[in-house]
Amino acid sequence: MPLLFRKAPLVAAIAFATAAPLSYAQLLEEVIVTAQKRAQSLQDVPISVSAIQGGKIQSAGIPNMQALSDYVPNLYIAAASVNTNIYMRGVGSGNNQGFEQSVGMYIDGVYMSRGRQYRAGFMDLERIEVLRGPQGTLFGKNTVAGAINIITASPTPGDEFSGSVSAAVESNDGRLVEGFLQGSLSETFAARLGFKYREADGYMDNEFLNRTEGDLDETGIRLTTVWQPTDTLDITFKYSNTQYERIGSPSTTKNYLDPASRDELFPNRSAFANIAYALTDRFFPDFAKIGEKEFVAFKDNGYGNSGGDTLGIGINPDGTDEDYDNFMLNVDYEVMGGTLTSITGWSEYQFIDGVDVDWLPLQFIHRDDDQQFEQFSQEFRFASAGGEFFDYVVGAYFEQSTLEIDRRVTLDLGVGGLVPQLSASAVSPFLPDVPLSALGITSLMTLLTGGQNNSTQIGRNHLYEQDSDSFAVFGQGTFNLADNLRLTVGLRYTEESKEVDTNQFLSDSTTGMGTPSEDFSLLKIEAESFNAYTFDFEEKRRTDKWLPSVNLQWDVTANSMLYASYSQGFKSGGFTDADDGEPGDLEQATFPCEQGQPIEACYDPTNPNDDFEFDDEEVDAFEIGGKHTLLDGGMTLNWAAFYTQYDNLQTSIFKGISFGVTNAAQSEIKGIEVDMLWQATDRLRIGASGAWLDATYDSFEDAPCTAIQLDVDPNCGTPQGFTSNDLSGEETMFAPAYTGSITVDYEYPISNNLQWFLSGETNYRDDFEPGGDNDPIDTIDSYSKTNLRTGLRGDNWEVMAFGRNIFDKEVIVQSFDTPVLAGTHSQFVDEGRIVGVRAQYSF
């Protein structure tokens, strides 16, 4: 865009401040956003938007999207071991890496389609805009629940050399250094380098390994260049790299089922559940009590007997190693009375995960993931100059991506590996008076198979590759019917196609964990106990959709605006990446083959079941709202009321023995959002935001069953079962009824060049359901977190003391059925109290 167009918002803000009758100190700064692909005041944008400035993100110590979601009503983001839960207004994509996200994220205009990309830390940002509701006619890639628009900082050609650096130390040996350097090489060319380094020990104590959980090490850089060879041409290039390593995970098991309850509620539990329960009860009798402690875990992280020196099971210890690269080339060219924009994007990442998925102090079950993703996108957009009777934006979008997953789930049954005390000379937990050595047993696999298989480890090896193509044309036009009345209509056409090639083989330590095994007892145990099979699926699908939108905006006065809108959205279907699903010829957890019979003779390994492919998700969304500037510019009050109907809602949850994918028939969501900011005095600013949400399944008769239901009926919720879990009328996942935030910022001038400041906020979230089966054991209780900051600042420096979650609340972010252990539930925990100091210098 031309230089004048870029500077216009700043000029407008200055004019607003100087023309108003109050002093500047009592006026709120105008917030400029680009939610509609034009620079506009937030108060002029007729949709529900929250804008968080980069300065706020840095001063509040908000490191990533998970932390940011505490500040935005009706937004919930939380990372687990492999998946990332991303929900807005009670709608998200759940735990399946085959899903794209219902809430889209865009970094400098480039769409990030995978949930994993939400984990990259914040670095050198200008602002973040959170747009609620379907976004289909302006963003290159449509989203069904909302959009998070991240705008990183850029230099301005002609400006002098400048920079900023800040350093912080905090609890858990945390250290942070971040900042930027920028300058102009000529009047038309400028560059900026942003950087960040962060490290910290974990905030949970693992009493089994005698170490902390969740130690992290994160580095990031971003290079930005801006070239403006003429007044009508602007070319911006950005490259960023983020590397993130976490050792261990902040997870624990707080609901370990006692022997009496498990016998009463789960009499039909599996042989592997009996093994895990028996070993834990005998060798770790205090396990349940330890789990009741706050910020404490008791698990081996896959190390087993080694105590953390060498890996005892799987390929990687519990933790993650991630690497993200993003490239963006933006060209704005003023031509034919408007601005032609080209956005070329390339994003890729790779990560290696290790997960101790038994969540026990046993070398029992481990999961390893190696995932790679590449995406190319190209968007062309033309925006008219504006100010005419008819203003418009039109565009076209193309995207191509490849997702590759290499996964292994390993089960260890070697008597010398499960627990240190269980060796060939130890007493059997099943035959208390008989040493295992006397029985000649080196593996519990020997007991389970009657001596047919003596392997110490068994596993399933899963490969998944999905190629996706997306093409769209879109447009939006605004009819300026009068000085105070505007009608905007939009239309989008999208085509998407996906091809998937996925296969799985089973293995054991006898043949080698990376080599397929045809052992009958192995195949039977994996099928009946874990719903895992040998298969080889190749499928493809294509979908297309027209998406309309309409918005009516009325400026009631110069400082008050009302709007009403209707929009449609959709998210294309796809293919599950789950490795614990049965082929289409079989019932769940059954193995019809006979000894010596080849697999192809008893079932078709190329025929997937109905859960393998999931359908498109569609939405109709209605919203009314208002944006009001009060007290002669000293207060803003914005509100929105919405009603949304989702069809074929894509869901993925744990079903007790495996993960399932299904389309919930319908969900109905309605609510209200309010956002207020008040410059109470020239020194005091107060903000308050809140939301009420009613998100329910309108019709979901075949919802996934709870662990108790599955014990009674292993086929619960399937045509072969005699029970079901009807969640019609019940609340959806990650949908608290009330969320809110209160912020206070106070500044006191000590002298002309010295200022004392005090800031803080309290963020509240009501209780909510984190699992698709709505098991009441997993319900996460309501909580609030309070943060405080105080310090001194001069013209170009600042020193601050801070505290996050100062009351040290233990906040559960996800609760779920512990794999294999029917009746036991595990949890992921957010960080507790963090205190520290930070210093910043700018030049």
Side-chain angles (χ1 to χ4, degrees), residues 276-311:
Y277 274 127
L279 293 174
T280 305
D281 290 344
R282 173 162 185 178
F283 296 112
F284 307 103
D286 295 330
F287 180 73
K289 291 183 179 179
I290 293 172
E292 294 173 358
K293 299 179 182 180
E294 291 189 345
F295 303 107
V296 169
F298 197 76
K299 51 194 178 74
D300 74 307
N301 284 358
Y303 288 115
N305 297 348
S306 68
D309 296 327
T310 58
L311 190 63

mmCIF file of all heavy atoms in Angstrom, residues 276-311:
data_model
loop_
_atom_site.group_PDB
_atom_site.id
_atom_site.type_symbol
_atom_site.label_atom_id
_atom_site.label_comp_id
_atom_site.label_asym_id
_atom_site.label_seq_id
_atom_site.Cartn_x
_atom_site.Cartn_y
_atom_site.Cartn_z
ATOM 1 N N ALA A 276 -1.589 -53.293 35.203
ATOM 2 C CA ALA A 276 -1.156 -51.968 35.643
ATOM 3 C C ALA A 276 -1.636 -51.668 37.061
ATOM 4 O O ALA A 276 -0.884 -51.132 37.882
ATOM 5 C CB ALA A 276 -1.667 -50.910 34.673
ATOM 6 N N TYR A 277 -2.889 -51.986 37.336
ATOM 7 C CA TYR A 277 -3.411 -51.755 38.682
ATOM 8 C C TYR A 277 -2.667 -52.591 39.715
ATOM 9 O O TYR A 277 -2.292 -52.106 40.795
ATOM 10 C CB TYR A 277 -4.906 -52.067 38.733
ATOM 11 C CG TYR A 277 -5.806 -50.927 38.335
ATOM 12 C CD1 TYR A 277 -6.776 -51.091 37.351
ATOM 13 C CD2 TYR A 277 -5.702 -49.685 38.960
ATOM 14 C CE1 TYR A 277 -7.630 -50.046 36.988
ATOM 15 C CE2 TYR A 277 -6.534 -48.636 38.599
ATOM 16 C CZ TYR A 277 -7.501 -48.823 37.618
ATOM 17 O OH TYR A 277 -8.324 -47.774 37.264
ATOM 18 N N ALA A 278 -2.443 -53.886 39.411
ATOM 19 C CA ALA A 278 -1.792 -54.772 40.374
ATOM 20 C C ALA A 278 -0.369 -54.313 40.686
ATOM 21 O O ALA A 278 0.051 -54.284 41.850
ATOM 22 C CB ALA A 278 -1.790 -56.205 39.833
ATOM 23 N N LEU A 279 0.383 -53.933 39.658
ATOM 24 C CA LEU A 279 1.756 -53.490 39.878
ATOM 25 C C LEU A 279 1.807 -52.175 40.653
ATOM 26 O O LEU A 279 2.641 -51.998 41.556
ATOM 27 C CB LEU A 279 2.470 -53.336 38.539
ATOM 28 C CG LEU A 279 2.722 -54.630 37.753
ATOM 29 C CD1 LEU A 279 3.290 -54.301 36.383
ATOM 30 C CD2 LEU A 279 3.660 -55.551 38.515
ATOM 31 N N THR A 280 0.921 -51.241 40.288
ATOM 32 C CA THR A 280 0.922 -49.954 40.980
ATOM 33 C C THR A 280 0.493 -50.115 42.439
ATOM 34 O O THR A 280 1.096 -49.525 43.349
ATOM 35 C CB THR A 280 -0.011 -48.965 40.256
ATOM 36 O OG1 THR A 280 0.382 -48.859 38.881
ATOM 37 C CG2 THR A 280 0.064 -47.588 40.893
ATOM 38 N N ASP A 281 -0.565 -50.905 42.677
ATOM 39 C CA ASP A 281 -1.028 -51.113 44.050
ATOM 40 C C ASP A 281 0.067 -51.712 44.919
ATOM 41 O O ASP A 281 0.259 -51.316 46.071
ATOM 42 C CB ASP A 281 -2.244 -52.051 44.062
ATOM 43 C CG ASP A 281 -3.485 -51.405 43.484
ATOM 44 O OD1 ASP A 281 -3.502 -50.162 43.361
ATOM 45 O OD2 ASP A 281 -4.435 -52.143 43.142
ATOM 46 N N ARG A 282 0.791 -52.674 44.358
ATOM 47 C CA ARG A 282 1.766 -53.392 45.182
ATOM 48 C C ARG A 282 3.042 -52.597 45.408
ATOM 49 O O ARG A 282 3.519 -52.473 46.530
ATOM 50 C CB ARG A 282 2.092 -54.725 44.525
ATOM 51 C CG ARG A 282 3.245 -55.424 45.263
ATOM 52 C CD ARG A 282 3.342 -56.863 44.959
ATOM 53 N NE ARG A 282 4.384 -57.456 45.794
ATOM 54 C CZ ARG A 282 4.688 -58.733 45.797
ATOM 55 N NH1 ARG A 282 4.023 -59.550 45.029
ATOM 56 N NH2 ARG A 282 5.644 -59.204 46.560
ATOM 57 N N PHE A 283 3.600 -52.037 44.331
ATOM 58 C CA PHE A 283 4.911 -51.412 44.446
ATOM 59 C C PHE A 283 4.867 -49.916 44.743
ATOM 60 O O PHE A 283 5.862 -49.344 45.188
ATOM 61 C CB PHE A 283 5.720 -51.671 43.180
ATOM 62 C CG PHE A 283 6.021 -53.128 42.955
ATOM 63 C CD1 PHE A 283 5.447 -53.809 41.893
ATOM 64 C CD2 PHE A 283 6.850 -53.832 43.816
ATOM 65 C CE1 PHE A 283 5.713 -55.144 41.680
ATOM 66 C CE2 PHE A 283 7.123 -55.172 43.612
ATOM 67 C CZ PHE A 283 6.553 -55.842 42.545
ATOM 68 N N PHE A 284 3.716 -49.282 44.494
ATOM 69 C CA PHE A 284 3.585 -47.842 44.748
ATOM 70 C C PHE A 284 2.273 -47.580 45.474
ATOM 71 O O PHE A 284 1.358 -46.940 44.933
ATOM 72 C CB PHE A 284 3.648 -47.055 43.434
ATOM 73 C CG PHE A 284 4.854 -47.387 42.601
ATOM 74 C CD1 PHE A 284 4.740 -48.217 41.496
ATOM 75 C CD2 PHE A 284 6.111 -46.910 42.935
ATOM 76 C CE1 PHE A 284 5.847 -48.541 40.732
ATOM 77 C CE2 PHE A 284 7.222 -47.226 42.182
ATOM 78 C CZ PHE A 284 7.103 -48.048 41.069
ATOM 79 N N PRO A 285 2.148 -48.071 46.709
ATOM 80 C CA PRO A 285 0.879 -47.972 47.430
ATOM 81 C C PRO A 285 0.454 -46.535 47.726
ATOM 82 O O PRO A 285 -0.723 -46.295 48.017
ATOM 83 C CB PRO A 285 1.152 -48.755 48.725
ATOM 84 C CG PRO A 285 2.641 -48.732 48.881
ATOM 85 C CD PRO A 285 3.192 -48.752 47.493
ATOM 86 N N ASP A 286 1.378 -45.568 47.695
ATOM 87 C CA ASP A 286 1.043 -44.168 47.978
ATOM 88 C C ASP A 286 0.744 -43.370 46.712
ATOM 89 O O ASP A 286 0.654 -42.136 46.766
ATOM 90 C CB ASP A 286 2.193 -43.497 48.734
ATOM 91 C CG ASP A 286 2.398 -44.094 50.110
ATOM 92 O OD1 ASP A 286 1.411 -44.570 50.708
ATOM 93 O OD2 ASP A 286 3.554 -44.102 50.592
ATOM 94 N N PHE A 287 0.590 -44.062 45.591
ATOM 95 C CA PHE A 287 0.412 -43.360 44.322
ATOM 96 C C PHE A 287 -0.806 -42.434 44.350
ATOM 97 O O PHE A 287 -0.742 -41.285 43.903
ATOM 98 C CB PHE A 287 0.275 -44.367 43.182
ATOM 99 C CG PHE A 287 0.098 -43.737 41.831
ATOM 100 C CD1 PHE A 287 1.161 -43.111 41.200
ATOM 101 C CD2 PHE A 287 -1.128 -43.764 41.181
ATOM 102 C CE1 PHE A 287 1.005 -42.527 39.951
ATOM 103 C CE2 PHE A 287 -1.297 -43.187 39.935
ATOM 104 C CZ PHE A 287 -0.224 -42.566 39.319
ATOM 105 N N ALA A 288 -1.925 -42.898 44.870
ATOM 106 C CA ALA A 288 -3.138 -42.076 44.894
ATOM 107 C C ALA A 288 -2.946 -40.838 45.757
ATOM 108 O O ALA A 288 -3.358 -39.731 45.383
ATOM 109 C CB ALA A 288 -4.317 -42.897 45.396
ATOM 110 N N LYS A 289 -2.301 -40.972 46.916
ATOM 111 C CA LYS A 289 -2.082 -39.829 47.801
ATOM 112 C C LYS A 289 -1.137 -38.814 47.176
ATOM 113 O O LYS A 289 -1.316 -37.601 47.322
ATOM 114 C CB LYS A 289 -1.526 -40.308 49.142
ATOM 115 C CG LYS A 289 -2.528 -41.096 49.985
ATOM 116 C CD LYS A 289 -1.934 -41.483 51.324
ATOM 117 C CE LYS A 289 -2.937 -42.252 52.164
ATOM 118 N NZ LYS A 289 -2.367 -42.656 53.477
ATOM 119 N N ILE A 290 -0.111 -39.312 46.490
ATOM 120 C CA ILE A 290 0.822 -38.392 45.835
ATOM 121 C C ILE A 290 0.097 -37.566 44.774
ATOM 122 O O ILE A 290 0.330 -36.362 44.622
ATOM 123 C CB ILE A 290 1.987 -39.176 45.208
ATOM 124 C CG1 ILE A 290 2.839 -39.823 46.314
ATOM 125 C CG2 ILE A 290 2.856 -38.263 44.337
ATOM 126 C CD1 ILE A 290 3.891 -40.767 45.800
ATOM 127 N N GLY A 291 -0.818 -38.210 44.047
ATOM 128 C CA GLY A 291 -1.552 -37.499 43.007
ATOM 129 C C GLY A 291 -2.433 -36.389 43.531
ATOM 130 O O GLY A 291 -2.786 -35.466 42.786
ATOM 131 N N GLU A 292 -2.808 -36.441 44.798
ATOM 132 C CA GLU A 292 -3.656 -35.407 45.376
ATOM 133 C C GLU A 292 -2.880 -34.122 45.666
ATOM 134 O O GLU A 292 -3.475 -33.072 45.880
ATOM 135 C CB GLU A 292 -4.297 -35.926 46.658
ATOM 136 C CG GLU A 292 -5.282 -37.076 46.420
ATOM 137 C CD GLU A 292 -5.773 -37.692 47.722
ATOM 138 O OE1 GLU A 292 -5.314 -37.231 48.789
ATOM 139 O OE2 GLU A 292 -6.610 -38.615 47.667
ATOM 140 N N LYS A 293 -1.560 -34.193 45.682
ATOM 141 C CA LYS A 293 -0.760 -33.001 45.947
ATOM 142 C C LYS A 293 -0.826 -32.038 44.760
ATOM 143 O O LYS A 293 -0.973 -32.451 43.610
ATOM 144 C CB LYS A 293 0.703 -33.382 46.215
ATOM 145 C CG LYS A 293 0.918 -34.296 47.412
ATOM 146 C CD LYS A 293 2.410 -34.616 47.554
ATOM 147 C CE LYS A 293 2.694 -35.554 48.696
ATOM 148 N NZ LYS A 293 4.148 -35.868 48.816
ATOM 149 N N GLU A 294 -0.666 -30.758 45.036
ATOM 150 C CA GLU A 294 -0.663 -29.760 43.974
ATOM 151 C C GLU A 294 0.707 -29.687 43.311
ATOM 152 O O GLU A 294 1.737 -29.753 43.984
ATOM 153 C CB GLU A 294 -1.050 -28.388 44.522
ATOM 154 C CG GLU A 294 -2.501 -28.300 44.959
ATOM 155 C CD GLU A 294 -2.924 -26.884 45.283
ATOM 156 O OE1 GLU A 294 -2.037 -26.021 45.453
ATOM 157 O OE2 GLU A 294 -4.149 -26.634 45.357
ATOM 158 N N PHE A 295 0.695 -29.577 41.998
ATOM 159 C CA PHE A 295 1.903 -29.421 41.179
ATOM 160 C C PHE A 295 2.903 -30.556 41.426
ATOM 161 O O PHE A 295 4.114 -30.342 41.478
ATOM 162 C CB PHE A 295 2.566 -28.063 41.445
ATOM 163 C CG PHE A 295 1.674 -26.890 41.205
ATOM 164 C CD1 PHE A 295 1.149 -26.160 42.266
ATOM 165 C CD2 PHE A 295 1.336 -26.512 39.913
ATOM 166 C CE1 PHE A 295 0.317 -25.073 42.048
ATOM 167 C CE2 PHE A 295 0.504 -25.422 39.681
ATOM 168 C CZ PHE A 295 -0.006 -24.710 40.746
ATOM 169 N N VAL A 296 2.388 -31.770 41.566
ATOM 170 C CA VAL A 296 3.235 -32.939 41.794
ATOM 171 C C VAL A 296 2.828 -34.042 40.829
ATOM 172 O O VAL A 296 1.637 -34.288 40.600
ATOM 173 C CB VAL A 296 3.124 -33.442 43.250
ATOM 174 C CG1 VAL A 296 3.803 -34.805 43.404
ATOM 175 C CG2 VAL A 296 3.760 -32.435 44.201
ATOM 176 N N ALA A 297 3.824 -34.718 40.245
ATOM 177 C CA ALA A 297 3.605 -35.876 39.379
ATOM 178 C C ALA A 297 4.398 -37.053 39.935
ATOM 179 O O ALA A 297 5.328 -36.889 40.721
ATOM 180 C CB ALA A 297 4.046 -35.560 37.951
ATOM 181 N N PHE A 298 4.008 -38.253 39.502
ATOM 182 C CA PHE A 298 4.715 -39.461 39.937
ATOM 183 C C PHE A 298 4.648 -40.450 38.779
ATOM 184 O O PHE A 298 3.785 -41.300 38.700
ATOM 185 C CB PHE A 298 4.058 -40.046 41.193
ATOM 186 C CG PHE A 298 4.923 -41.031 41.930
ATOM 187 C CD1 PHE A 298 5.974 -40.598 42.717
ATOM 188 C CD2 PHE A 298 4.694 -42.393 41.821
ATOM 189 C CE1 PHE A 298 6.777 -41.501 43.404
ATOM 190 C CE2 PHE A 298 5.478 -43.311 42.494
ATOM 191 C CZ PHE A 298 6.529 -42.864 43.291
ATOM 192 N N LYS A 299 5.587 -40.303 37.823
ATOM 193 C CA LYS A 299 5.599 -41.142 36.629
ATOM 194 C C LYS A 299 7.032 -41.267 36.128
ATOM 195 O O LYS A 299 7.894 -40.453 36.468
ATOM 196 C CB LYS A 299 4.694 -40.563 35.538
ATOM 197 C CG LYS A 299 4.913 -39.100 35.190
ATOM 198 C CD LYS A 299 3.749 -38.559 34.358
ATOM 199 C CE LYS A 299 3.914 -37.086 34.039
ATOM 200 N NZ LYS A 299 4.912 -36.827 33.022
ATOM 201 N N ASP A 300 7.276 -42.305 35.299
ATOM 202 C CA ASP A 300 8.658 -42.600 34.929
ATOM 203 C C ASP A 300 9.086 -41.941 33.622
ATOM 204 O O ASP A 300 10.258 -41.955 33.271
ATOM 205 C CB ASP A 300 8.854 -44.111 34.812
ATOM 206 C CG ASP A 300 8.223 -44.674 33.553
ATOM 207 O OD1 ASP A 300 7.019 -44.435 33.314
ATOM 208 O OD2 ASP A 300 8.928 -45.344 32.786
ATOM 209 N N ASN A 301 8.123 -41.337 32.861
ATOM 210 C CA ASN A 301 8.431 -40.646 31.605
ATOM 211 C C ASN A 301 9.100 -41.545 30.566
ATOM 212 O O ASN A 301 9.826 -41.067 29.687
ATOM 213 C CB ASN A 301 9.315 -39.415 31.851
ATOM 214 C CG ASN A 301 8.523 -38.260 32.437
ATOM 215 O OD1 ASN A 301 7.315 -38.368 32.627
ATOM 216 N ND2 ASN A 301 9.180 -37.164 32.738
ATOM 217 N N GLY A 302 8.892 -42.851 30.675
ATOM 218 C CA GLY A 302 9.466 -43.779 29.707
ATOM 219 C C GLY A 302 10.852 -44.261 30.061
ATOM 220 O O GLY A 302 11.415 -45.106 29.359
ATOM 221 N N TYR A 303 11.443 -43.743 31.129
ATOM 222 C CA TYR A 303 12.794 -44.135 31.508
ATOM 223 C C TYR A 303 12.824 -45.471 32.250
ATOM 224 O O TYR A 303 13.826 -46.182 32.229
ATOM 225 C CB TYR A 303 13.433 -43.076 32.421
ATOM 226 C CG TYR A 303 13.816 -41.805 31.717
ATOM 227 C CD1 TYR A 303 13.191 -40.607 32.025
ATOM 228 C CD2 TYR A 303 14.808 -41.799 30.740
ATOM 229 C CE1 TYR A 303 13.542 -39.430 31.399
ATOM 230 C CE2 TYR A 303 15.168 -40.627 30.101
ATOM 231 C CZ TYR A 303 14.528 -39.443 30.440
ATOM 232 O OH TYR A 303 14.886 -38.280 29.808
ATOM 233 N N GLY A 304 11.718 -45.807 32.936
ATOM 234 C CA GLY A 304 11.694 -47.068 33.653
ATOM 235 C C GLY A 304 12.764 -47.153 34.718
ATOM 236 O O GLY A 304 12.988 -46.221 35.489
ATOM 237 N N ASN A 305 13.477 -48.284 34.749
ATOM 238 C CA ASN A 305 14.478 -48.540 35.795
ATOM 239 C C ASN A 305 15.669 -47.592 35.721
ATOM 240 O O ASN A 305 16.397 -47.429 36.704
ATOM 241 C CB ASN A 305 15.009 -49.967 35.678
ATOM 242 C CG ASN A 305 13.914 -50.985 35.892
ATOM 243 O OD1 ASN A 305 12.827 -50.648 36.329
ATOM 244 N ND2 ASN A 305 14.202 -52.241 35.588
ATOM 245 N N SER A 306 15.913 -46.988 34.575
ATOM 246 C CA SER A 306 17.144 -46.216 34.404
ATOM 247 C C SER A 306 17.155 -44.958 35.250
ATOM 248 O O SER A 306 18.200 -44.353 35.450
ATOM 249 C CB SER A 306 17.315 -45.828 32.933
ATOM 250 O OG SER A 306 16.310 -44.896 32.547
ATOM 251 N N GLY A 307 15.982 -44.540 35.716
ATOM 252 C CA GLY A 307 15.934 -43.332 36.528
ATOM 253 C C GLY A 307 16.288 -42.079 35.760
ATOM 254 O O GLY A 307 16.644 -41.065 36.344
ATOM 255 N N GLY A 308 16.221 -42.116 34.472
ATOM 256 C CA GLY A 308 16.464 -40.927 33.670
ATOM 257 C C GLY A 308 17.809 -40.905 32.984
ATOM 258 O O GLY A 308 18.111 -39.961 32.272
ATOM 259 N N ASP A 309 18.616 -41.925 33.155
ATOM 260 C CA ASP A 309 19.929 -41.944 32.501
ATOM 261 C C ASP A 309 19.816 -42.414 31.055
ATOM 262 O O ASP A 309 20.415 -41.849 30.152
ATOM 263 C CB ASP A 309 20.886 -42.846 33.273
ATOM 264 C CG ASP A 309 21.150 -42.317 34.679
ATOM 265 O OD1 ASP A 309 21.151 -41.086 34.832
ATOM 266 O OD2 ASP A 309 21.331 -43.128 35.587
ATOM 267 N N THR A 310 19.078 -43.479 30.842
ATOM 268 C CA THR A 310 18.868 -44.002 29.491
ATOM 269 C C THR A 310 17.409 -44.351 29.342
ATOM 270 O O THR A 310 16.715 -44.647 30.314
ATOM 271 C CB THR A 310 19.717 -45.261 29.233
ATOM 272 O OG1 THR A 310 19.376 -46.265 30.210
ATOM 273 C CG2 THR A 310 21.200 -44.944 29.332
ATOM 274 N N LEU A 311 16.918 -44.318 28.113
ATOM 275 C CA LEU A 311 15.509 -44.579 27.859
ATOM 276 C C LEU A 311 15.218 -46.062 27.981
ATOM 277 O O LEU A 311 15.895 -46.899 27.398
ATOM 278 C CB LEU A 311 15.128 -44.083 26.463
ATOM 279 C CG LEU A 311 13.622 -44.073 26.142
ATOM 280 C CD1 LEU A 311 12.900 -43.104 27.067
ATOM 281 C CD2 LEU A 311 13.409 -43.670 24.702
#
